[in-house]
Amino acid sequence: MTKYVYKFAEGNKDQKDLLGGKGANLAEMTNLGLPVPPGFTITTQACRHYLDHGTMPDGLDAEIETNLGELEREMGRDLGQPDDPLLVSVRSGARFSMPGMMETVLNIGLNDESVEGLASQGGDERFAWDSYRRLVQMFGKTVQDIDGDLFEEAIDRVKAEKGITDDLDLDAGDFRALVERFKAIVHEQTGHPFPTDPREQMRQAVRAVFQSWDAPRAVLYRRQERIPTDLGTAVNVCSMVFGNLGMDSGTGVAFTRDPASGRQGVYGDYLQNAQGEDVVAGIRNTVPLTDLADIDAKSYDELMAIMETLENHYRDLCDIEFTIERGKLWMLQTRVGKRTAAAAFRIADQLADQGMIAIDEALQRVNGDQLAQLMFPRFDEKAAAGDQFHRLGRGMNASPGAAVGKAVFDSSTAIEWARNGEKVILCRRETNPDDLEGMISAEGILTSRGGKTSHAAVVARGMGKTCVCGAEELDIDTKNRRMVTSGGETVGEGEVVSIDGTTGEVFLGEVPVVDSPVVRYFENEIDPASDEADDLVRAVDRLMRQGDDARRLHVRANADTPEDAARARRMGAQGIGLCRTEHMFLGDRRQLVERLILAETTEERDGALDALLPHQRADFNGIFSSMDGLPVTVRLLDPPLHEFLPDITELSVRVAVAEARGESDANDTRMLEAVQRLHEQNPMLGLRGVRLGLAVPGLFTMQVRAIAQAAAERIREGGRPHPEIMIPLVGTVQELEIIREDALRVLREVGEENGVELDFPVGTMIELPRAALTAGQIAESAEFFSFGTNDLTQTAWGFSRDDVEASFFSAYLEKGVFGVSPFESLDVDGVGRLVRIAVEEGRAARPEMQFGVCGEHGGDPTSVHFFHETGLDYVSCSPFRVPVARLEAGRAAARTGN
Amino acid sequence: MTKYVYKFAEGNKDQKDLLGGKGANLAEMTNLGLPVPPGFTITTQACRHYLDHGTMPDGLDAEIETNLGELEREMGRDLGQPDDPLLVSVRSGARFSMPGMMETVLNIGLNDESVEGLASQGGDERFAWDSYRRLVQMFGKTVQDIDGDLFEEAIDRVKAEKGITDDLDLDAGDFRALVERFKAIVHEQTGHPFPTDPREQMRQAVRAVFQSWDAPRAVLYRRQERIPTDLGTAVNVCSMVFGNLGMDSGTGVAFTRDPASGRQGVYGDYLQNAQGEDVVAGIRNTVPLTDLADIDAKSYDELMAIMETLENHYRDLCDIEFTIERGKLWMLQTRVGKRTAAAAFRIADQLADQGMIAIDEALQRVNGDQLAQLMFPRFDEKAAAGDQFHRLGRGMNASPGAAVGKAVFDSSTAIEWARNGEKVILCRRETNPDDLEGMISAEGILTSRGGKTSHAAVVARGMGKTCVCGAEELDIDTKNRRMVTSGGETVGEGEVVSIDGTTGEVFLGEVPVVDSPVVRYFENEIDPASDEADDLVRAVDRLMRQGDDARRLHVRANADTPEDAARARRMGAQGIGLCRTEHMFLGDRRQLVERLILAETTEERDGALDALLPHQRADFNGIFSSMDGLPVTVRLLDPPLHEFLPDITELSVRVAVAEARGESDANDTRMLEAVQRLHEQNPMLGLRGVRLGLAVPGLFTMQVRAIAQAAAERIREGGRPHPEIMIPLVGTVQELEIIREDALRVLREVGEENGVELDFPVGTMIELPRAALTAGQIAESAEFFSFGTNDLTQTAWGFSRDDVEASFFSAYLEKGVFGVSPFESLDVDGVGRLVRIAVEEGRAARPEMQFGVCGEHGGDPTSVHFFHETGLDYVSCSPFRVPVARLEAGRAAARTGN
């Protein structure tokens, strides 16, 4: 016979699957000998049976009855016993905490008779009737699904009649009247009288908890949180203890360490003469937990001892709920407590110091998201909350951090002002590749359109630069160099604004910024052994070193300039995994690129390429210098050529309007023809990447020559360049083969011209589903694979990041279609499967193949674990995310033991 | 020891892998006792060893020597024997015919001594020296890679000096001088004298054949034809026979049946006193093979007997090369001959009739491409080649057939004129969905832009309508309703033009059209048992019936209108696999769709949907009537909404120009706002398909309601509607689940309202890689999968059909990146793998799942075989391709025996 009911003493903390989180921890505390009110847990298995079959499993009722009987014997009174009732609470408790579910029904066992017994036993009639009305109210609301407002309105009516505002001013008679009224509401709403049989009350409550698993709110919550749908919930039946039996009673919460700072000490709150729900309702103010030492020294000492026991036992910060009933301390719940990022690092470090956990375990207690949070500068919270700074609006927290500067509305002003030493915030409706230099010059970026994966957001995150995007309350008026708030307020060019990339808030004026000491540590500005380093920096340093020792994955950075490369190296990057060359085609090179695109003869085209060559060579030389001795993966040109030309609609309008005015411009007209010729319906799926290399003779050849010449220069200068040549957007091995042969020829030629050996690997991005699916073939011509998980996500899902984020991602997240955007965290089932296929089959075809990832997922904690497990050699991410990837790569290796 | 050399007598026709096609057939003829000049074949295995190691395999030289010795003994003279030389030819011969490779070196064994022996033996000095110069010329060109023009120029110089133009006027002395000159050329070009050792000549020739496997032309050819790269070629060494020893000698080709018509008889050509290369050079005219009966009756009779032997033996049309040397017939080559489509059907039918092959075998002797060719009307070839019709230009043969009509330059004229009974050709620069009705009204479509997968081409092929596209010589000037040829000729509206979709030619005037009797047969206009049916129709009928009996795959059609549905049914469709609903949103519905898109309130949107509902219902009712009793898969709306609105650039220009002129139009301005709001960078990857269903509340609900109501109407009218509701562009099961729940609710509601049971399957397209990769999950909510292989190809490869065909497909085909466009024939390695994954995992999750394909590949012969093997239940294609798919499905089943 399956056992469906466990007494608290029969379980333990590792049985969360069967008993739920709450039940497992109640069992653990019971077995530790802590004062837990007796009770029992009905398993998740019983719930699953009920949900599958619509009926309670055979034997469950009898088991409940047996356990309830034992509880009654232990407590010396029966459930609802008229002269001295045993009362119980019924609480849901699933494997994972689920706020969307029914929580609690208290005081089960009360009815018109037992309420009198409770009153006489406790000597407090008001308490007894208050307890009774709480039962009817909770039962009606959560078990019987009655609109809670009906009960609240009844209470308000009584208070209005009496001319009072505080529940505490209601007396026993008032509660007695309210019980009658509440019972009438139940009868009206359900067509049945309120159930007065205590066992029936309990049965209905248990059934309601089971059913709550499938309530729409719970279903949606699980969808969003990716909690499996078939776990079911456990039900905890626990004898009631009361914190509201007078001033020698009370209820409180406690933490074994400060969950905000992580520092040791006594943290928590206590409320005399109250039940837990009163604390939540916030009717009266709590006192600090330390005050309990004065109020009830015995209970306080006992609690302190229990907290020590729990922390030693759980070897972590514990979060506790307790009640004191007439001087007797009872533990109602415990769990490993939530904490801030700083607390997580400090606690892990302290516990390791105290020998409570091994240092490997400490590494598992922190994560990359927490580290990332610690790395951003922040606004001084008190200042921002004060009156001196006016909040202009709020957008999406696209790239965290705090930035202050003068508002500018175009990139050239941003660049100019920044050159003159001004700090600026670049404010645009949305950004495009032309804004790149402006974005580099700015302290932060603010846009009124676009989501978290808009160009502004993506590029800003890539730079580790603060960005608030999609602040729709702000009408950014580029033409008039100003923005107007929804309230009609105007902010002009040069006015100082402050943007908070962590919260999405935008303020007028200069909000004070607090620097991140963790970044200063990574930038080698703080020595962790020095006095300047606080305990947080020391904890970060210790755990980073631990992670670096453990990790197998190398971490590289995506960087396109010598400056970014140098920064990435300081952050611990072991090379560049993605050096994009398209940025080298912008700015003052644009003219040369236009010459290339507009070339009508082979000579014109070759001339344009020859003119570009020295620029590219100089770019590469700079990057190879910054990364001397480390690999630099250079991606040949990827975007479609028309990205370097004006927008077709804007230009068409300009030409047509000029024509209409008789002021045609021959250059514009000629440009328009080129733009029309190159226009594509779906440029992302058009002539780009390797296709461009095959369609525009000489383009990739020029790029490879620039790489080869720069490397030869470096070698002659005594450097150790390690370029890796990467071909983008390959779909079939034939494409790669043709380009690769040409690249090897150029390397050979330049090597011979310079008398040096240029034996650099040529590989490909795997960023199309077909490339992953034919990886075994492609491996024959590729010395490395680098997964471009951004494009792989776009093509596997068939959506363009630029287009879909704004139009339906928010709806998808709300409806639970996604738990998280697949652009933020790798979609393991779909895109991840392609990665696995390519690794397995690529390795089978070429055992020495090197595998990396250079999509943004390379810096995402969850994704890093996946890449580790899949057996990649490195991840590459933006410089700012390098420490995050290092930490997570270390955690992944330490956890799996390889 | 591996055996590397086979005497002809040692092999047989099934050893093509080892001996190549030519060698295997020479062996077969030898063993049939036919007069094949003795010789031997060096295997492909020897070639592979040479290519892998750069050296001949151990023992090969000795084996060659042994075989050559035996040949010498058999022939009674030695290779190059001075007084009476044995001469041999060395020919390459791979598994697959490869025109890109070195073909032949004749007359090996001649040198300064043996040429005299040959002269004295044959009594013909001119012949001997001509043979010698041919050896040096062929050897120099093909073995030693010397530019052939050098030899040709030397000949021309001699002829010029002598004042003659014909090779026949060169005498023995001339050839002797040419040999000297040729040997000098070889010495100059290679630095070595011409090799006079006959065995050395042979060794070098063999080695050169081996090397020719890796020549760039051969590599490219294999890439384009998808011939595996590691097969290697065999080498045939064959004793020489001469057709140029006088008028009692000659050479010819013969076919055992007419390869053009397939009818029985004697077909071939003969040239007296000539070698094969002279026939190719076309210096003199051949005579019909039947003339040989008069020239050399004995040889003729012998040849006729051999042809019968070969046909009986090969049980197929054979193609033969032969030489007569002084009255003695020699067989030089045979193979199963190429034939036209009509010949293929007739021959298969006849051979089955004659009991030479089983009817199942006959079915394998024809294919769908041939059937498709037979279905198109054609221009009368003689008329088109005559002078009375002027060719205006040529484009791509986008959709075959022949069409004649008056040129019109816009769709509304096409519709209007067609209504008045005129036949029209719709001439556009390119077409878009707005042209649909115009295209339906027209006899054919002619465009000056776009490739074989442009909108015009794809839609025309879908309709089975003739289309020539990308005729760039024609400047189609829509505004002035005319087109101008590159020669400056103008064709105005109403002038008659004729377009040939099979050749891409465009003519001025009405070229007479020959109807396809095969189509009339499929349309039930010709009874195959009647006198009206010729032997071709009877052959087609017989083989179609055989295929239908054998096939397991059902064949459905893609059809959006009752007319198309009815036609598809006549063609043998067993249902509709894809009924697109977007066409129902065009034409006079456009206004309602605009109302929907521009709706600013829920009420406006619901109003627009309510107005669309009765139209959709009527559409569905018509289709369900046409397909009564058969399944109709209705795809809910797929394209992005902005496809129903004006183009953003055109509209922007119009609004801007109007503004500049102070003539703003409020409607245009309002429309532009909507267009800008809905504009997407990559609409194919944007808000469409199921995303639209989730983002526009009520849209899919309205469509499902229209389907349900139409089905209920049909049931009440006594019909048997079988709609299947298909959700497009699903990437994850959650999307499908939400839409499916809503659809089931609507079916239930409408069923209850009408008192009928509406239990129709709801399924999904699998057209995104992620859908295929997570098919096991998606199967939980889908009752059927229909593979949308067009979009699956686009996303797996990451290219948009509209954009890439024009920009780089031709280059890709030329460079051998593709052998065939993956839009024409399914890419088995990439897209096909996704299909296989989805079938396997979908079936595992839901064993009763139904699988179909509704992309254009459903009508492609090769792809149909793949779908059969993968275990799909049906393919769906355009009505016109239904017979092709039926035939191929039958062939696939008959071949695999299931």
Side-chain angles (χ1 to χ4, degrees), chain B residues 511-585:
Chain B
V511 183
V513 172
V514 184
D515 257 2
S516 162
V518 173
V519 169
R520 295 183 55 217
Y521 152 72
F522 281 123
E523 291 269 16
N524 302 328
E525 291 168 17
I526 296 183
D527 177 353
S530 72
D531 286 348
E532 203 188 347
D534 69 354
D535 54 350
L536 178 60
V537 165
R538 282 196 302 274
V540 168
D541 174 60
R542 182 178 184 188
L543 293 169
M544 287 304 296
R545 280 187 287 112
Q546 184 62 23
D548 281 342
D549 284 351
R551 77 185 151 90
R552 184 186 55 67
L553 270 181
H554 280 222
V555 176
R556 298 190 190 178
N558 302 344
D560 312 337
T561 64
E563 298 70 37
D564 276 0
R567 181 180 206 191
R569 198 164 190 167
R570 289 196 300 276
M571 293 278 180
Q574 296 162 291
I576 290 182
L578 176 61
C579 172
R580 284 168 287 241
T581 53
E582 51 265 37
H583 295 162
M584 304 174 185
F585 277 56

Side-chain angles (χ1 to χ4, degrees), chain A residues 237-376:
Chain A
V237 177
C238 187
S239 44
M240 286 293 303
V241 291
F242 295 95
N244 55 346
L245 279 175
M247 298 310 280
D248 57 350
S249 301
T251 191
V253 296
F255 300 90
T256 57
R257 292 174 193 239
D258 182 355
S261 72
R263 298 208 168 93
Q264 282 181 288
V266 178
Y267 295 89
D269 300 293
Y270 183 69
L271 186 58
Q272 273 179 292
N273 194 16
Q275 277 190 300
E277 51 172 345
D278 299 322
V279 179
V280 176
I283 298 169
R284 282 173 291 154
N285 286 335
T286 58
V287 297
L289 185 58
T290 42
D291 288 6
L292 180 60
D294 299 328
I295 297 169
D296 180 349
K298 182 179 138 285
S299 295
Y300 181 76
D301 291 344
E302 190 183 358
L303 180 63
M304 290 304 113
I306 288 173
M307 280 166 64
E308 200 181 332
T309 302
L310 283 175
E311 202 180 74
N312 285 330
H313 186 71
Y314 282 88
R315 302 179 304 125
D316 205 347
L317 160 68
C318 291
D319 154 347
I320 292 160
E321 291 179 21
F322 66 92
T323 280
I324 299 174
E325 185 185 72
R326 288 183 176 151
K328 161 73 182 151
L329 176 68
W330 294 100
M331 305 302 294
L332 299 188
Q333 183 167 329
T334 193
R335 62 184 172 196
V336 169
K338 291 194 164 58
R339 66 206 71 184
T340 64
F345 275 86
R346 284 205 188 90
I347 290 172
D349 183 45
Q350 287 162 13
L351 291 177
D353 260 355
Q354 293 166 6
M356 261 208 269
I357 58 175
I359 180 75
D360 253 14
E361 172 70 20
L363 186 60
Q364 299 305 327
R365 297 284 181 90
V366 295
N367 64 50
D369 283 330
Q370 292 163 338
L371 181 62
Q373 281 178 42
L374 295 179
M375 291 175 67
F376 293 107

Side-chain angles (χ1 to χ4, degrees), chain A residues 735 770 812 827 833 841, chain B residues 735 770 812 827 833 841:
Chain A
E735 295 170 318
R770 194 180 189 279
Y812 266 36
D827 153 39
R833 183 169 180 184
E841 299 178 13
Chain B
E735 293 170 318
R770 193 181 190 278
Y812 266 36
D827 152 39
R833 183 170 182 182
E841 298 177 13

Side-chain angles (χ1 to χ4, degrees), chain B residues 516-664:
Chain B
S516 162
V518 173
V519 169
R520 295 183 55 217
Y521 152 72
F522 281 123
E523 291 269 16
N524 302 328
E525 291 168 17
I526 296 183
D527 177 353
S530 72
D531 286 348
E532 203 188 347
D534 69 354
D535 54 350
L536 178 60
V537 165
R538 282 196 302 274
V540 168
D541 174 60
R542 182 178 184 188
L543 293 169
M544 287 304 296
R545 280 187 287 112
Q546 184 62 23
D548 281 342
D549 284 351
R551 77 185 151 90
R552 184 186 55 67
L553 270 181
H554 280 222
V555 176
R556 298 190 190 178
N558 302 344
D560 312 337
T561 64
E563 298 70 37
D564 276 0
R567 181 180 206 191
R569 198 164 190 167
R570 289 196 300 276
M571 293 278 180
Q574 296 162 291
I576 290 182
L578 176 61
C579 172
R580 284 168 287 241
T581 53
E582 51 265 37
H583 295 162
M584 304 174 185
F585 277 56
L586 295 170
D588 50 359
R589 324 272 172 84
R590 182 171 285 269
Q591 219 182 330
L592 296 174
V593 176
E594 281 183 10
R595 249 180 76 191
L596 171 66
I597 299 172
L598 302 179
E600 284 175 359
T601 65
T602 307
E603 291 68 35
E604 282 177 21
R605 191 182 59 222
D606 290 348
L609 288 171
D610 287 348
L612 277 163
L613 177 68
H615 295 284
Q616 290 248 304
R617 186 172 56 222
D619 292 331
F620 291 131
N621 189 310
I623 290 169
F624 296 160
S625 300
S626 287
M627 276 285 157
D628 193 56
L630 295 178
V632 176
T633 308
V634 180
R635 180 176 74 184
L636 303 189
L637 194 68
D638 183 50
L641 291 181
H642 52 72
E643 278 202 8
F644 302 99
L645 300 184
D647 174 75
I648 190 166
T649 300
E650 282 174 27
L651 188 59
S652 298
V653 166
R654 190 158 80 225
V655 168
V657 169
E659 261 175 26
R661 292 189 173 133
E663 302 163 355
S664 293

Side-chain angles (χ1 to χ4, degrees), chain A residues 607-772:
Chain A
L609 287 170
D610 287 348
L612 276 163
L613 177 68
H615 294 284
Q616 290 246 304
R617 185 172 55 222
D619 291 331
F620 291 131
N621 189 309
I623 290 170
F624 297 160
S625 301
S626 285
M627 276 285 157
D628 194 56
L630 295 178
V632 175
T633 308
V634 179
R635 180 176 75 184
L636 304 189
L637 195 67
D638 183 52
L641 292 180
H642 52 70
E643 277 202 10
F644 301 100
L645 300 183
D647 174 74
I648 189 167
T649 301
E650 280 174 26
L651 187 59
S652 298
V653 166
R654 189 158 79 225
V655 168
V657 168
E659 262 174 25
R661 290 189 175 135
E663 303 163 352
S664 292
D665 176 301
N667 276 340
D668 275 357
T669 308
R670 182 165 173 244
M671 180 62 85
L672 181 57
E673 279 168 20
V675 169
Q676 283 170 339
R677 182 163 45 79
L678 292 168
H679 181 65
E680 293 180 317
Q681 292 300 316
N682 295 281
M684 179 170 303
L685 304 179
L687 186 58
R688 45 172 290 230
V690 68
R691 302 164 192 168
L692 207 55
L694 289 165
V696 181
L699 176 60
F700 277 12
T701 312
M702 178 279 285
Q703 292 201 294
V704 174
R705 181 161 284 126
I707 293 167
Q709 290 180 347
E713 279 173 11
R714 288 292 305 143
I715 292 172
R716 288 202 313 267
E717 291 160 14
R720 295 162 303 157
H722 291 295
E724 304 180 338
I725 296 166
M726 181 158 75
I727 318 299
L729 216 71
V730 163
T732 172
V733 65
Q734 282 86 356
E735 295 170 318
L736 181 59
E737 224 168 75
I738 297 168
I739 297 293
R740 176 185 158 80
E741 273 171 29
D742 189 58
L744 294 180
R745 179 185 58 77
V746 172
L747 287 176
R748 219 164 32 237
E749 279 175 19
V750 175
E752 282 163 14
E753 284 159 20
N754 289 272
V756 293
E757 181 88 6
L758 300 180
D759 185 17
F760 303 132
V762 178
T764 184
M765 291 191 73
I766 300 287
E767 53 184 336
L768 295 174
R770 194 180 189 279

Side-chain angles (χ1 to χ4, degrees), chain B residues 233-260:
Chain B
T233 179
V235 181
N236 300 294
V237 177
C238 186
S239 46
M240 285 295 302
V241 292
F242 296 95
N244 54 345
L245 280 174
M247 297 311 277
D248 57 351
S249 301
T251 192
V253 296
F255 300 90
T256 59
R257 295 176 189 235
D258 182 354

